[in-house]
Amino acid sequence: MFKTVTYPVLKDFRMIRFVVLSILLLSSVASFGQAGLQKTFVQKMELPATPDMGTQVLRISESFLGTPYVAGTLEGNPSERLVCKFDGLDCTTLVESVIALAVAKRENSSFEEYKNELTRLRYREGVIDGYPSRLHYILDWMYENQKRGRLEDITAKVGGVPFTKEINFMTTHANLYPSLAPSDVYEKLKEQESVINSREHSYIPKSAIQKAEPMLHDGDIVAFTSSVEGLDVNHMGIISKVGSRAYLIHASLTGKKVIMTNVPLAEYVASVPKHTGMIVARLNDI
C-alpha cells in the first residue's frame, strides 16, 4: 500500500530543492564573474609593451579611465580572501591592480602571476593570514614593498622633509572597522602602528609640490598625506607627465570614476584642504 506524502515532507523537499538551486546559482555567478575577470585580464595583456616599468604602469592606468569608483572594495571580506576586481575600484585597488597587471605584462603574462603579485603587494610578506596581514596603512605598504624591491620611496630625493606624525587612526577609530572587534586583531594592529611610528618618514609639503613636479616620472605612485589626526594618507594615484607638469590618474570619489585631473598636481592638492602634502614611490623592474 502506498504511503501518502504529507505536506511537511513536501515543504522540506521544496526547501532542500531551493537550497540546492541557490548553491548552483551562486556557483554559476561566481564562475561567470571569474570568466569575466580573466577576459578583462587578457585584454589588458594585449596592451602594447613599453620599455620601462613606469610607462607600462601609466599605459595600464589609462586603460582604466572611466571605470566606476566603488568605495571600500576590500572590506566586507571576513575570511580575508584575495579580492580581484576590474569593474569597480577605489584609489588603493586601482594602484594595486595596475602595478600587478604591469608586473604580469612584463614578467609572465599569466593570470596566476597577476594574482601572485597582487598578493605580494597587498599583504605582509605576501602571505594572507587574516585581517592584520593586510598592509592597511600606505606608509607601511610603501615600506614593505620597498623592502622586497618592487618600488623605491623617492620622497626625500624630490624635495621631501621629515614627516613626523603619530599614526593610530585605525585603533583609535575601531568602531569604523568591524574586523578589529576581536581583541587579538586589535592588539596586532596596535603593534603594527607602533612599528610604523618607530620608522623615519618624509613628505613633500603641498607648498613645495610644484617645485617637485619636474622630477616626477610617468607611472610614479603618489599618496597624499592627511590632516586627519592619526591618519597617514587620504588618497593615492598614478602620475602622468605633460611637459614639466604632473597630472594625477586616480579613482575619484567626487568624479565617481577613474579620471585624470584637469589641473596639474600642485593645483589639485591645493584644492583639497585635508591633503597636507604627498609621498612618492617609483616602481622597479625585479
Side-chain angles (χ1 to χ4, degrees):
M1 184 175 182
F2 293 106
K3 186 175 181 180
T4 303
V5 178
T6 62
Y7 175 76
V9 173
L10 284 173
K11 186 177 180 181
D12 290 344
F13 174 76
R14 288 170 182 160
M15 180 60 70
I16 292 169
R17 185 168 178 268
F18 173 78
V19 171
V20 170
L21 288 173
S22 297
I23 292 170
L24 290 173
L25 178 61
L26 289 172
S27 177
S28 298
V29 170
S31 298
F32 179 79
Q34 185 75 359
L37 192 67
Q38 294 199 38
K39 180 180 179 181
T40 303
F41 172 81
V42 170
Q43 292 171 347
K44 302 296 185 188
M45 291 300 99
E46 291 173 348
L47 293 169
T50 64
D52 65 272
M53 178 62 92
T55 307
Q56 193 72 71
V57 165
L58 174 60
R59 294 292 170 257
I60 292 175
S61 69
E62 289 171 338
S63 76
F64 281 102
L65 290 170
T67 301
Y69 176 90
V70 177
T73 49
L74 297 182
E75 303 309 316
N77 180 17
S79 59
E80 197 61 39
R81 293 182 295 180
L82 183 68
V83 173
C84 303
K85 285 179 66 69
F86 295 141
D87 58 349
L89 301 163
D90 60 22
C91 67
T92 304
T93 50
L94 170 67
V95 169
E96 290 180 334
S97 297
V98 166
I99 295 173
L101 285 165
V103 170
K105 173 73 175 174
R106 295 176 67 78
E107 298 182 6
N108 189 290
S109 293
S110 74
F111 189 61
E112 284 306 309
E113 176 56 28
Y114 163 75
K115 291 194 295 183
N116 289 340
E117 178 61 20
L118 193 60
T119 303
R120 291 188 289 263
L121 281 166
R122 188 174 291 165
Y123 293 94
R124 199 175 308 279
E125 307 296 336
V127 177
I128 303 175
D129 185 21
Y131 190 74
S133 66
R134 198 196 314 164
L135 297 166
H136 296 281
Y137 288 104
I138 298 303
L139 284 176
D140 206 21
W141 183 92
M142 283 198 173
Y143 176 87
E144 291 294 330
N145 281 291
Q146 177 169 260
K147 186 171 71 173
R148 71 182 183 93
R150 175 52 68 205
L151 56 79
E152 179 187 1
D153 183 341
I154 64 167
T155 309
K157 294 181 178 180
V158 294
V161 298
F163 180 62
T164 55
K165 183 177 183 179
E166 188 76 10
I167 305 303
N168 57 16
F169 185 86
M170 291 184 71
T171 57
T172 56
H173 297 79
N175 59 303
L176 301 178
Y177 303 93
S179 295
L180 285 182
S183 60
D184 59 327
V185 175
Y186 176 89
E187 291 301 327
K188 186 65 177 176
L189 260 293
K190 200 164 184 61
E191 289 173 18
Q192 291 171 4
E193 290 171 343
S194 295
V195 172
I196 294 169
N197 290 322
S198 71
R199 300 174 187 146
E200 294 182 355
H201 307 285
S202 299
Y203 86 120
I204 302 166
K206 64 164 57 178
S207 60
I209 288 176
Q210 185 167 344
K211 185 177 178 181
E213 282 188 38
M215 294 179 275
L216 301 182
H217 292 178
D218 283 339
D220 283 348
I221 306 303
V222 291
F224 304 106
T225 52
S226 178
S227 64
V228 177
E229 187 175 353
L231 187 62
D232 56 345
V233 305
N234 300 312
H235 192 52
M236 66 191 308
I238 297 161
I239 291 297
S240 175
K241 291 297 293 291
V242 180
S244 64
R245 300 306 306 268
Y247 290 75
L248 182 72
I249 295 176
H250 63 132
S252 169
L253 172 62
T254 55
K256 298 185 179 359
K257 60 185 177 181
V258 177
I259 61 172
M260 186 167 82
T261 55
N262 57 11
V263 295
L265 189 66
E267 284 88 328
Y268 161 74
V269 177
S271 73
V272 184
K274 66 178 181 178
H275 292 349
T276 61
M278 71 177 186
I279 54 180
V280 189
R282 184 163 293 159
L283 276 295
N284 297 321
D285 284 301
I286 58 173

